Amino acid sequence: MKYNFDAMQNRLGSDSIKWEKQLKFGTQSGLLPFWIADTDFAALPEAVEAMKQRLEHPVFGYTFTGNRTVETVQKWYERRHQVKLGIEAFLPAQGVVTAIWFSLRGFTKPGDKVLVFTPVYDPFFAVIGNQGREQVDCPLIYENGTYRINWEDLEDKLKQGVSAMIFCNPHNPVGRVWSPEDVEKIVLLCKKYSVWLLSDEIHGDVVLYGNHYTSAARFAGVYDKMIVYTAISKTFNMAGLHSSCCLIPNQEVKQLQDKTAREAWVMGPNCMANAAIEACYTYGDQWVDEQNEYLTGNADFVMDYLGEHAPEVGVVKPEGTYLMWLDFGKLHLTGDEIMKKLAANYGLAVGSGTGYRGNGESFMRFNIGCPRAVLEQGLEKIVQFVTDEKGV
Ligand SMILES: Cc1ncc(COP(=O)(O)O)c(C=O)c1O
């Protein structure tokens, strides 16, 4: 390995939400964190260098994200994901959730139905509900330790008049990397019922066990009422730069997305993000591959450790993302209750699955994006918690 993902980074003093704003766990800091979705890995050295070089220019006035930067995103998608779209299809934006907010604002009206596959990343509920759109849940089926789409339920719901669907691929929090057949079926169903396909692919490059993700953009020739959202934030641990990029095959759709964001005076990525995006997508191939290998090792470590010491905890084997979905159903506690106990008595910050809806009630979302030694410390505490609960 060229890069060292075992290296410990002390993030205290860097304004890290994960380490220094643990308010939902009842404290400011001090808990060993496995919650919010960033990693504790040092960024790609070339990206850090590119930002330092940008700092050499002492003027930080308004900037735009131009073709030089956008081309690196386009080439990455062509090289790694067989997406063949011209540069005009790429629209830089500030954040993925913000971009989804504007898509819903631009393409749907208050009262329109928006479908999500639960359990799912909960800010989706906020962008739907806070804009007066009606959320329609299509719960994933949980069977034999994995999740799949309930196609029958989905089509029934689409028939009843859904305006947009937020698809999450790979799926946070259940870790599915949807198959090419799944993605194609989703596109075809959206086409059949004329539904806006909002495909959040922010975790697309974080794939484990040799899996490959299929972007909905590969099917743009079949149907182009779609917006695909990506970013360097998860893949390269750059969430603090607040940048993203939309892939929008249809030019009219792109113009509407752009106009809707501009109405709120929200611009694209900042100048430091431009430097980072270019470097990540130009020099980051090996770094990403090695990170995926390391994360696969971490996922194996979690499954082996819990399998041996706390087999009561069900582990959903992830295909992608660095978020593991742990089933505590056998303890008969809710995710919120477990979250409080882990924070108060075991010094851990782990996200509760309760708020993700679907069958998330007794699940926890466990972020494995950290050095293995830190992961082991967290697992020791989880095992202690499970052992104590069994004794109750
Ligand atoms: C599926 C998904 N979408 C979007 C985001 C956040 O993206 P952004 O910070 O660009 O809004 C996350 C972060 O965890 C995520 O998991």
Side-chain angles (χ1 to χ4, degrees), residues 87-106:
I87 193 164
E88 68 287 351
F90 292 74
L91 178 69
Q94 244 176 40
V96 166
V97 176
T98 323
I100 297 175
W101 169 282
F102 288 123
S103 302
L104 286 179
R105 189 171 180 82

Side-chain angles (χ1 to χ4, degrees), residues 77 81 83 85 167 169 180 183-184 186-187 197-201 213-224 226-229 247 249:
Y77 264 79
H81 304 303
V83 170
L85 291 175
F167 187 54
N169 182 27
V183 177
E184 187 176 19
I186 286 285
V187 173
L197 174 55
L198 314 183
S199 189
D200 181 341
E201 301 179 8
Y213 112 101
T214 305
S215 173
R218 278 175 61 178
F219 301 99
V222 178
Y223 182 62
D224 66 0
M226 70 161 74
I227 297 142
V228 169
Y229 311 84
L247 280 62

Side-chain angles (χ1 to χ4, degrees), residues 37-221:
D38 64 23
T39 76
D40 296 320
F41 303 138
L44 175 75
E46 285 88 345
V48 177
E49 194 48 44
M51 288 189 277
K52 281 186 188 162
Q53 270 178 28
R54 178 59 184 85
L55 284 174
E56 290 296 316
H57 194 300
V59 180
F60 298 93
Y62 289 116
T63 54
F64 62 95
T65 303
N67 281 357
R68 190 189 62 236
T69 308
V70 175
E71 234 172 50
T72 63
V73 191
Q74 185 214 12
K75 288 202 171 116
W76 177 274
Y77 264 79
E78 200 171 273
R79 179 164 87 242
R80 294 187 65 106
H81 304 303
Q82 296 79 50
V83 170
K84 294 186 177 63
L85 291 175
I87 193 164
E88 68 287 351
F90 292 74
L91 178 69
Q94 244 176 40
V96 166
V97 176
T98 323
I100 297 175
W101 169 282
F102 288 123
S103 302
L104 286 179
R105 189 171 180 82
F107 307 125
T108 66
K109 324 182 281 307
D112 278 2
K113 290 184 183 160
V114 181
L115 185 136
V116 286
F117 298 93
T118 55
V120 77
Y121 179 59
D122 53 330
F124 291 170
F125 312 152
V127 295
I128 298 169
N130 291 345
Q131 299 197 86
R133 275 62 173 169
E134 187 188 326
Q135 183 178 319
V136 175
D137 288 11
C138 182
L140 297 171
I141 297 172
Y142 181 49
E143 223 169 46
N144 303 323
T146 186
Y147 285 83
R148 60 187 166 86
I149 292 168
N150 185 340
W151 296 105
E152 221 170 284
D153 182 43
L154 174 60
E155 188 150 9
D156 275 351
K157 284 173 176 160
L158 295 182
K159 263 184 208 156
Q160 289 165 36
V162 163
S163 296
M165 168 197 297
I166 308 181
F167 187 54
C168 191
N169 182 27
H171 191 103
N172 170 8
V174 309
R176 280 300 313 273
V177 175
W178 301 111
S179 70
E181 293 75 25
D182 287 334
V183 177
E184 187 176 19
K185 223 162 149 178
I186 286 285
V187 173
L188 291 174
L189 279 170
C190 285
K191 180 177 181 180
K192 183 169 175 189
Y193 294 99
S194 196
V195 172
W196 284 102
L197 174 55
L198 314 183
S199 189
D200 181 341
E201 301 179 8
I202 194 169
H203 295 278
D205 289 297
V206 187
V207 283
L208 315 181
Y209 301 101
N211 281 297
H212 290 278
Y213 112 101
T214 305
S215 173
R218 278 175 61 178
F219 301 99

Side-chain angles (χ1 to χ4, degrees), residues 282-293:
T282 306
Y283 305 110
D285 291 76
Q286 186 177 347
W287 192 92
V288 169
D289 294 340
E290 289 192 12
Q291 177 177 244
N292 286 341
E293 205 180 315

